[in-house]
Structure formats: C-alpha cells, structure tokens
Amino acid sequence: MKRRIHVGFVLVYSLVSYFCSCSAFYLPGLAPVSFCEEGNDGDDCQKVIELFVNRLDSVESVLPYEYDVFDFCKDAKEKRPSENLGQVLFGERIESSPYKFNFKQDVKCKAVCSKSYKKGNKEDATKLDFLKMGMQLNYQHHWIIDNMPVTWCYDVEDGQKYCNPGFPIGCLVTTEGRPKDACVINAEFNKKNTFYVFNHVDIRIVYHSGAQEGWRGARLVTAYLEPKSIKHADENKPDCEGTTPMEVPGEFDGDVSIVYTYSVSFKEDNSIKWASRWDYILVSMPHTNIQWFSIMNSLVIVLFLSGMVAMIMLRTLHKDIARYNQVDQVDFIKLPTTKGKSSQSYEDAQEESGWKQVHGDVFRPPRKGMLLCVFLGQGTQIFIMTFITLFLACLGFLSPANRGALMTCAVVLWVLLGTPAGYVSARLYKTFGGEKWKTNVLLTALLCPGIVFADFFLMNLILWVEGSSAAIPFGTLVAILALWFGISVPLTFIGAYFGFKKPAIEQPVRTNQIPRQIPEQSFFTKPIPGIVMGGILPFGCIFIQLFFILNSIWSHQMYYMFGFLFLVFIILLITCSEATILLCYFHLCAEDYHWWWRSFLTSGFTAVYLFIYAVHYFFSKLQIIGAASTILYFGYTMIMVLIFFLFTGTIGFFACFWFVNKIYSVVKVD
C-alpha cells in the first residue's frame, strides 16, 4: 500500500513538473524581423522602427477607449495593421503613431506635437475633461514595437522588479492632498486638485545582433520606457532636463498647452534570444509568481480525494453486485431457515443497497427531456472546443505574442463543432422516445447560442452608447451571424440527421409501464441538498486558476500558464465525474430513480459557485466604478457562467449515464 502511494505521489509530482515547465513555453507567433542601420544596402532588413499604439484601458472601468479619443499626437499617415476576429472581439484597436525611430540612432528630447486648450472653447474643454477623466480613472497606454509591448519596469516590494506592459496617462492629486496611484513616483506631484500629464517618455530598445550567429542585421528583444511629466517652456526647444512637472489644474480657468516629447536609446545584448524575449514580461507579472508548492498540494489533495471516491465506489459496488447475484442464484424457500439467517441475509442484501429495486424505472425518460438533450448537445460542443483550445494553448500556439489567437481559435472551433452537438442531442432525444425532431434540432442550434448572442448584443449596445473601442463594429456582428447561421446551424442539422438515423441507445434493463413510488427521502438525499453539495469539490480544484483568469480579463494582466490550466481542466473532468457518480449512487440506493436531470445539475451547480466567486471578486479585488462598467462586468460574467454550466453539467451527465448503464448491465434481473 505504501509503495502504491509513493508511486502515485511521484506520478503526480512528475505531471505537475511537466506542466510547470510547459506553462511558460510559447511560440513567438510571428517571424522575426531584422533591422539595419541607415546606409546598409539590402531589402531583407528594415531601417525604421515603427511604434504602434493600442486601445487604453483601466482597472477602474470596463470601458476601453481608442488612442485618438484622448487627443494625443496622431500619425500624419495613419494606418492600421490587419486585426483578426479575436482582437476585434477583445476590443484591441492597434494603429500607427508619430513615434518613429531610426535603428541605432539615439535621440535626445525630440518634440512630437503640441496640444493647446483655450479657455472658453467648448470643444477644447470637452477634450481636456476627457483627458482628466483618463488620469482620474488611471487609464493606461499600451505601446507596441515589433509586436512586443513596450514595458514600464519599476521596483516593488522585497526588491523585486515589476514590468507593466502599459503606463498611465498621468496621475491625480486629490483635493485632500492624497496622491493617487502613479503620483507616488515623484515627490514633485504634491499640488492639491491637480492633474500631472506624462508627456515625455524615455525609451530604451535592446537588440540582439546576428553577426556572431551568421545572419544579417539585428533583432529587437526588449523595449522599456520611463514616463515623465515635464513642463516645456518652448515647443521648438524642449528641455527634458527640467524638474517642473506638466500640471493641468482641476478647474479649467486658463489656457493649457501640453508638449509631447520623447528620447530613445539603443543597447546591444546578445544574451537574450529573440524566441524568449517575452520571458521578462511574463515572469515579472504580478500574481503570476504562483506558489508552486501550494498549487501542487491542491492538485494532490484533489487527486487523492478522487482516488478515495473511486476506490470506495468500486469496492462497495463490487460487494453489492456479488451479493445480488448470489441472492438471485439461491432459492431461499428451499434452504433451511436456521434461526432466520437465510431470510435475514436476503433482507440485508435488499436493504443495504436499494438501487437494484428501481431497475424497472431507472431508464424512464425524464420530464423536459428535449431541453436536457439541447443542453447536452451544446455542452458537448463546448467541451470539445475547450479541450482543443487548451491543448493548442498548452503547446504554445495561442501565446500572448499571437494577439487574439485564443479567442479566434475558440470561435472557429465552436462554429465547426455544430455536428457533434446535433448528433448528441438527436441521439439522446430519440432514446427518450421523442418525436418532435425538428423542434429539437432548431433548439439545439439556436437556444443557447441565442441567449449568449442576446446578452452579448445588449452589452455591445452599452459599449456603443459609451463610445468605447470594445464596441464590436456592425460588420463584425454581421460576420458572426453569418458564421452562426451559415456554418454552425447547417452542421448542427447534419449531425442531427445522422443522430436520428442511428437506432436508439439500447438500455440494459426494461422499463416498467407503471412508475414506482419513491419512498420518503432524508434531507441529504433530497434533490436540492445533493445538487448544492455536488458542486463544492469541482469548484475547489479550479478557484485558484479562476483568480488568475479573472485577473487577466478584468485587471488586464497577461495569462500564459496554459500548462497548469490544462492540468486543472483534466482534474475538473475527473472531479465532476466522480462527485456526480457518488451522489447518483446514493440517490439510487435511496430508491430515487430521477437521476437524469440531477446528474446534469449536480456538476453544473459548480457554475453557481463560479458566479458567487465572481461577485466576491468584484467587490473585494476590483476598483470598478460606474453603472455602465458594473452592468458590463455582470453581463459578461453571465455569459461565462452559462457556458461553464453547460460544460460541467454535460461532464456529470455522461459520467453518470455510463455508470448507471454499467451497473445495471452486470446484475442479473428477472
């Protein structure tokens, strides 16, 4: 026994170590670009480095905005790189900027543009108010050089360095004199009710030379910046050595002029490889320095509990089946009843496990069977989509360097997986004896996706009204509808056609014509307590990763630990299956044969715990303010909860379906 435990622990440790190692593995997503100095001939390398800007976001607001909305310096020849579906759905709006650098040419204090705001001009007042709002809510710039974020690195607690893939517009010192967020980095930011604009950036670009490795030019490996607030007296002769910050008073009682400048320097560092240039960003992200030992302990505990559940189920069931088969082979009437032992053993066999007594009703079709089939069809579609997406992400194909690839992959897979959804729904509906096959197919193709799209459309209306960059363009909405009705729905019909062509699933025992009366149930075997308890263990194995996922969505942090996420996904499958099977067995022993919906809802109730945790996360971790942002948070959370409900419910149902078929196929029933 000790040897088995030791081997099991070593196996779990090896799996965790493997997934830890692959959690930081990623593919860069794009082919490397070589840069050369001016004067070098050849078309295989670039001389000019272009800086692109992305939409601005905030941890205090769900509403991102495009770069141009804040009245920053614009590129004279504005151009946008092509965006994939995932980038559009996530609200990324990348465009060119006037910040352009010649490779290996250092620049000191160069003016980009000047923005003037005249007192009494309503248009200028509106622009300045929007800029102040961005500083008050701590909106962050996101700049990109060679498909790599320009990071702002600074020291945090315990001497560690944190590299943020964004930097603030500016900061605010409140009327009470309390500096907010980024204002603490400069002691000069001390005037009450004053905004300080970061109008200057010192950029440092690090490159890897290819001379020693036999390829021409150089490749960019890191890009840092340091934001500063500097008041320039003369736009034509900016002075970046000054210490007077660029102040914007809280009250617009005078003209305001802001001069935007930059300095850039280059440094060679051949120790950093191009393929690992994202490492310093991912490793230094806050909350991603996971306590590996704690995570491993959680995984070992969950696996140990799952193993105990499986062992108990196997041993108990083995005894039940052996006892039942032995009782069926013995004629109790002919055997001598010495002191009532034979009759007593028969009664004990019947009382210990009452699941055999409901063999004539256990496969009776459930109420609302069509709706259950629709949910199971959609859950199957989501399960396959999630498995393939996480597997590809674990291999590194959907890394943060490949922008929007994760969402694009998930949407495309969902569209193409309509056939399994239609097949599963139709096959189960036929097994239940359903005859309204047209209604079944239409509901499978339209019900759950329709709910998600309606919620998504309402959230998009709010984004449109607020003028956010996250609002999906009308053309993209039409494209999504075309994918849904043009590809997913026909594939669902094809799957349903093959599902109805197949014979109904043959059950191991016959169903009685008259339903058996269910005896009075104890508190723990009643439906609601069992369903509520069923979701606790599955949620316990995901809530740690759920924290990091919510951070990546709402706190705008990069998520890259797909190796651990895939491992937790597998553990979730095992835990949902075994928890549902265990509770299903207890209910059958209590002679309650209504297991169809209960098996789906038992593991599906994990989604309710997910929603409760999302509410807790909103009030305890986030600083979101405003009605629109609150509605958007809970609107998008409901989409996530619905998808998770269908996913976990489907896992529990099919595990229980397999279990019930298995146990009733091995016992002898007259």
Side-chain angles (χ1 to χ4, degrees), residues 329-440:
Q329 293 172 4
V330 178
D331 189 354
F332 285 89
I333 298 176
K334 295 180 180 179
L335 290 176
T337 58
T338 305
K339 296 183 181 180
K341 289 183 180 180
S342 297
S343 58
Q344 183 66 34
S345 64
Y346 180 81
E347 291 175 2
D348 290 343
Q350 295 293 337
E351 290 177 2
E352 281 185 19
S353 301
W355 57 269
K356 188 186 176 187
Q357 300 181 21
V358 296
H359 65 82
D361 297 273
V362 73
F363 291 105
R364 188 177 303 281
R367 297 178 181 177
K368 306 292 183 182
M370 181 185 291
L371 182 62
L372 179 60
C373 294
V374 169
F375 284 171
L376 292 170
Q378 280 295 318
T380 303
Q381 188 175 7
I382 294 169
F383 166 72
I384 301 174
M385 175 200 74
T386 307
F387 179 83
I388 297 175
T389 302
L390 289 181
F391 182 73
L392 293 175
C394 185
L395 294 179
F397 293 105
L398 308 179
S399 70
N402 200 354
R403 302 176 187 277
L406 185 70
M407 178 61 76
T408 303
C409 178
V411 172
V412 171
L413 283 173
W414 181 85
V415 169
L416 297 178
L417 289 171
T419 302
Y423 179 84
V424 169
S425 179
R427 188 84 189 278
L428 288 172
Y429 184 62
K430 187 174 183 179
T431 302
F432 291 163
E435 298 178 353
K436 300 178 181 179
W437 64 271
K438 294 181 181 178
T439 305
N440 172 259

Side-chain angles (χ1 to χ4, degrees), residues 70-330:
F70 289 94
D71 195 36
F72 296 127
C73 301
K74 297 182 180 181
D75 187 12
K77 299 179 180 179
E78 184 177 335
K79 61 179 180 179
R80 293 179 180 268
S82 58
E83 298 171 343
N84 56 42
L85 180 60
Q87 288 177 284
V88 176
L89 293 177
F90 270 128
E92 293 198 15
R93 299 294 183 266
I94 300 175
E95 58 186 88
S96 59
S97 75
Y99 297 87
K100 293 178 173 59
F101 325 116
N102 292 322
F103 181 66
K104 292 184 69 174
Q105 290 187 12
D106 295 352
V107 175
K108 293 289 186 181
C109 200
K110 182 176 180 179
V112 182
C113 73
S114 176
K115 296 291 182 178
S116 298
Y117 304 94
K118 303 295 183 182
K119 180 184 176 182
N121 189 312
K122 291 185 178 180
E123 184 178 355
D124 288 349
T126 302
K127 292 179 180 179
L128 194 59
D129 286 342
F130 201 84
L131 184 64
K132 291 178 183 177
M133 181 275 295
M135 289 184 279
Q136 184 175 1
L137 296 181
N138 195 26
Y139 270 83
Q140 304 272 319
H141 285 283
H142 294 282
W143 289 4
I144 302 167
I145 288 179
D146 191 28
N147 194 44
M148 180 177 56
V150 183
T151 56
W152 174 34
C153 297
Y154 52 89
D155 295 328
V156 291
E157 297 177 356
D158 300 328
Q160 296 181 347
K161 180 168 286 189
Y162 165 43
C163 291
N164 187 0
F167 67 96
I169 296 175
C171 61
L172 164 67
V173 176
T174 62
T175 53
E176 292 83 12
R178 288 185 286 108
K180 187 175 180 181
D181 300 321
C183 281
V184 297
I185 66 174
N186 193 333
E188 298 292 333
F189 301 160
N190 51 22
K191 190 176 294 185
K192 295 182 180 180
N193 193 25
T194 302
F195 296 86
Y196 295 92
V197 182
F198 290 139
N199 60 327
H200 175 82
V201 287
D202 287 329
I203 302 173
R204 181 163 59 92
I205 300 175
V206 181
Y207 62 91
H208 179 105
S209 176
Q212 298 178 353
E213 301 180 18
W215 46 269
R216 191 162 177 247
R219 294 172 183 172
L220 309 186
V221 289
T222 58
Y224 305 98
L225 64 74
E226 182 182 355
K228 295 181 179 179
S229 179
I230 302 174
K231 184 175 180 59
H232 301 288
D234 188 357
E235 176 186 355
N236 297 320
K237 294 181 179 180
D239 180 15
C240 297
E241 301 298 328
T243 58
T244 304
M246 181 64 229
E247 299 176 359
V248 177
E251 300 294 333
F252 190 21
D253 52 5
D255 295 348
V256 176
S257 179
I258 304 174
V259 179
Y260 292 92
T261 57
Y262 74 90
S263 300
V264 61
S265 62
F266 291 85
K267 178 184 177 182
E268 181 178 350
D269 187 351
N270 293 324
S271 64
I272 304 174
K273 303 297 183 183
W274 183 86
S276 59
R277 61 181 185 163
W278 282 67
D279 286 357
Y280 81 100
I281 304 173
L282 301 179
V283 172
S284 67
M285 287 291 292
H287 305 302
T288 55
N289 186 16
I290 297 182
Q291 299 175 359
W292 305 111
F293 184 74
S294 174
I295 291 287
M296 191 179 70
N297 276 350
S298 300
L299 297 177
V300 170
I301 290 171
V302 171
L303 290 175
F304 177 74
L305 289 176
S306 301
M308 291 296 295
V309 169
M311 186 170 61
I312 292 171
M313 294 298 300
L314 289 174
R315 292 187 62 183
T316 306
L317 275 174
H318 180 72
K319 289 182 179 179
D320 287 347
I321 293 169
R323 186 182 299 114
Y324 273 134
N325 291 338
Q326 183 180 7
V327 168
D328 286 340
Q329 293 172 4
V330 178

Side-chain angles (χ1 to χ4, degrees), residues 14 130 141 205 271 308 374 432 451-452 464 482 520 526 536 564 591 656:
S14 302
F130 201 84
H141 285 283
I205 300 175
S271 64
M308 291 296 295
V374 169
F432 291 163
I451 295 173
V452 172
W464 272 337
E520 185 69 23
K526 289 182 179 179
I536 295 177
F564 263 112
E591 300 181 29
C656 198

Side-chain angles (χ1 to χ4, degrees), residues 543-587:
F543 79 96
I544 295 177
Q545 287 298 320
L546 182 62
F547 173 77
F548 296 114
I549 292 173
L550 292 178
N551 269 351
S552 69
I553 296 174
W554 303 113
S555 296
H556 313 295
Q557 297 175 10
M558 293 183 184
Y559 188 90
Y560 71 100
M561 299 172 293
F562 294 107
F564 263 112
L565 185 60
F566 188 74
L567 180 60
V568 170
F569 172 79
I570 300 299
I571 294 174
L572 177 64
L573 298 183
I574 298 172
T575 312
C576 282
S577 302
E578 293 186 346
T580 307
I581 288 173
L582 183 62
L583 290 171
C584 179
Y585 173 72
F586 290 153
H587 292 131

